[in-house]
């Protein structure tokens, strides 16, 4: 089975780990590395012959349209990651609608393609935001990959289905949760920093589990994760720094191995191949 490879395109200073120590007003003054790092990811995919989905901030698309065009020209899917990494549970439904509209406009202007996929920053569609799927459906999105079906100190919806489901009875919108490894009734994340910090065998185990259930796995990472030379935010909390900077130098090599060991493709192609997607948790 082919699985979904995805990239959350944001710069090193736009991450959740630094949201309380780097003011958004300062973003334009910081040294951007998102274009060079995204080009590095594109080179990795070209080397492996993999097509993927790039969930991209509208903020990035508005400032670096050339790299957005390269994503599209190289055969990858362009999708939305919202405007500037505000978590969904910090917004009202009206704010959320405006946020995804602004992001979609910037992405479509830069990429020249329709945007039909969405991923919430920090997987922030959860039990606090049951209205978010209805807004996405109303705005014409085909799918979302915005739920982490586990318990985590920053995000997660542990009661959520592990595999793709339709969150609304009156819409064909599909939610495809990010893949977790499961054993002994417990779930563990496998992408991003978890992939950097833990043996690659953990992610391989999760992919094999999902494969056995005849479901597609969903893997994610960020362009800044292949950039060990990025600036250091020394005033951030120690825990945040450990999560953000650990094993950056190992990431590119680990990704090459992962790309070789499994079959990967774009999210929209994976969603298009799903059959009999069940109605799961019904949004209010």
């Amino acid at each position: 089975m082919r699985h979904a490879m995805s990239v959350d395109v944001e710069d090193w200073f736009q991450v959740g780990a630094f949201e309380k120590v780097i003011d958004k007003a300062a973003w334009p003054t910081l040294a951007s590395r998102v274009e060079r790092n995204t080009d590095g990811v594109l080179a990795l995919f070209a080397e492996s012959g993999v097509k993927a989905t790039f969930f991209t901030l509208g903020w990035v698309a508005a400032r670096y349209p050339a790299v957005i065009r390269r994503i599209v020209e190289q055969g990858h899917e362009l999708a939305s990651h919202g405007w500037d990494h505000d978590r969904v549970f910090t917004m009202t439904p009206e704010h959320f609608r405006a946020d995804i509209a602004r992001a979609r406009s910037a992405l479509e202007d830069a990429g020249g393609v329709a945007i039909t996929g969405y991923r919430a920053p920090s997987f922030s569609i959860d039990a606090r935001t049951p209205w978010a799927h209805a807004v996405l459906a109303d705005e014409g999105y085909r799918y979302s990959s915005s739920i982490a079906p586990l318990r985590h100190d920053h995000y997660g919806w542990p009661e959520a289905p592990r595999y793709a489901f339709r969150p609304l009875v009156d819409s064909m919108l599909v939610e495809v949760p990010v893949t977790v490894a499961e054993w002994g009734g417990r779930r563990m994340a496998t992408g991003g920093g978890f992939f950097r910090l833990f043996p690659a065998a953990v992610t391989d185990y999760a992919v094999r589990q999902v494969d056995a259930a005849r479901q597609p796995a969903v893997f994610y990472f960020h362009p800044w994760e292949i950039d060990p030379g990025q600036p250091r935010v020394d005033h951030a909390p120690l825990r945040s720094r450990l999560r953000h900077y650990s094993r950056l130098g190992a990431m590119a090599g680990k990704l090459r191995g992962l790309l070789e060991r499994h079959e990967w493709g774009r999210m929209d192609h994976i969603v298009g191949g799903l059959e009999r997607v069940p109605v799961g948790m019904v949004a209010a």
Side-chain angles (χ1 to χ4, degrees):
M1 178 171 288
R2 182 164 290 185
H3 304 289
M5 176 59 59
S6 62
V7 187
D8 292 356
V9 182
E10 57 204 46
D11 220 324
W12 63 270
F13 49 78
Q14 297 174 312
V15 301
F18 298 153
E19 64 188 359
K20 294 183 179 178
V21 295
I22 299 179
D23 194 311
K24 286 184 179 181
W27 284 3
T29 71
L30 300 174
S32 175
R33 298 171 75 87
V34 69
E35 190 167 20
R36 68 182 294 278
N37 290 337
T38 302
D39 280 337
V41 172
L42 288 170
L44 276 176
F45 288 156
E47 178 185 311
S48 302
V50 167
K51 302 303 180 187
T53 293
F54 286 71
F55 292 102
T56 305
L57 292 180
W59 192 98
V60 171
R63 287 162 175 78
Y64 306 101
V67 77
I68 303 304
R69 289 192 293 273
R70 289 194 290 276
I71 290 169
V72 173
E73 288 165 359
Q74 293 182 34
H76 303 286
E77 181 193 11
L78 183 64
S80 175
H81 200 34
W83 176 252
D84 63 355
H85 218 265
D86 277 350
R87 302 185 195 222
V88 178
F89 54 70
T90 68
M91 305 186 209
T92 64
E94 294 74 20
H95 180 189
F96 179 62
R97 190 182 297 273
D99 181 274
I100 61 175
R102 187 181 184 191
R104 175 184 254 170
S105 177
L107 290 162
E108 292 184 342
D109 284 350
V113 292
I115 302 300
T116 61
Y118 173 78
R119 173 169 289 156
S122 300
F123 301 104
S124 53
I125 290 183
D126 60 23
R128 291 168 287 186
T129 56
W131 44 262
H133 285 119
V135 175
L136 288 169
D138 189 48
E139 292 298 317
Y141 284 84
R142 181 183 177 196
Y143 75 88
S144 164
S145 182
S146 300
I147 289 177
L150 80 172
R151 195 177 306 280
H152 185 276
D153 61 338
H154 277 256
Y155 55 79
W157 195 347
E159 298 81 17
R162 189 179 178 191
Y163 304 128
F165 67 98
R166 286 171 46 211
L168 304 162
V169 295
D170 59 350
S171 170
M172 295 305 294
L173 176 79
V174 176
E175 173 64 43
V176 191
V178 67
T179 291
V180 296
E182 186 171 64
W183 61 85
R186 303 189 66 179
R187 293 176 175 180
M188 177 179 174
T190 58
F194 298 93
F195 181 71
R196 277 187 285 121
L197 291 168
F198 296 107
V202 174
T203 297
D204 289 334
Y205 172 73
V207 172
R208 288 195 300 272
Q209 277 192 329
V210 173
D211 228 352
R214 304 300 301 161
Q215 296 285 337
V218 178
F219 182 82
Y220 76 95
F221 70 101
H222 310 84
W224 55 262
E225 290 187 275
I226 64 167
D227 181 14
Q230 66 188 268
R232 267 29 183 188
V233 184
D234 294 330
H235 58 290
L238 176 61
R239 190 175 188 179
S240 296
R241 283 181 280 139
L242 288 173
R243 283 177 169 173
H244 187 84
Y245 295 117
S246 293
R247 295 183 56 75
L248 294 176
M251 187 62 165
K254 293 185 76 173
L255 282 169
R256 285 189 179 93
L258 185 70
L259 293 170
E260 292 171 0
R261 289 192 299 273
H262 307 283
E263 292 291 324
W264 301 101
R266 295 163 40 143
M267 286 285 308
D268 58 343
H269 293 171
I270 301 304
V271 171
L274 292 174
E275 298 180 0
R276 298 184 298 277
V277 179
V279 176
M281 297 177 301
V282 179

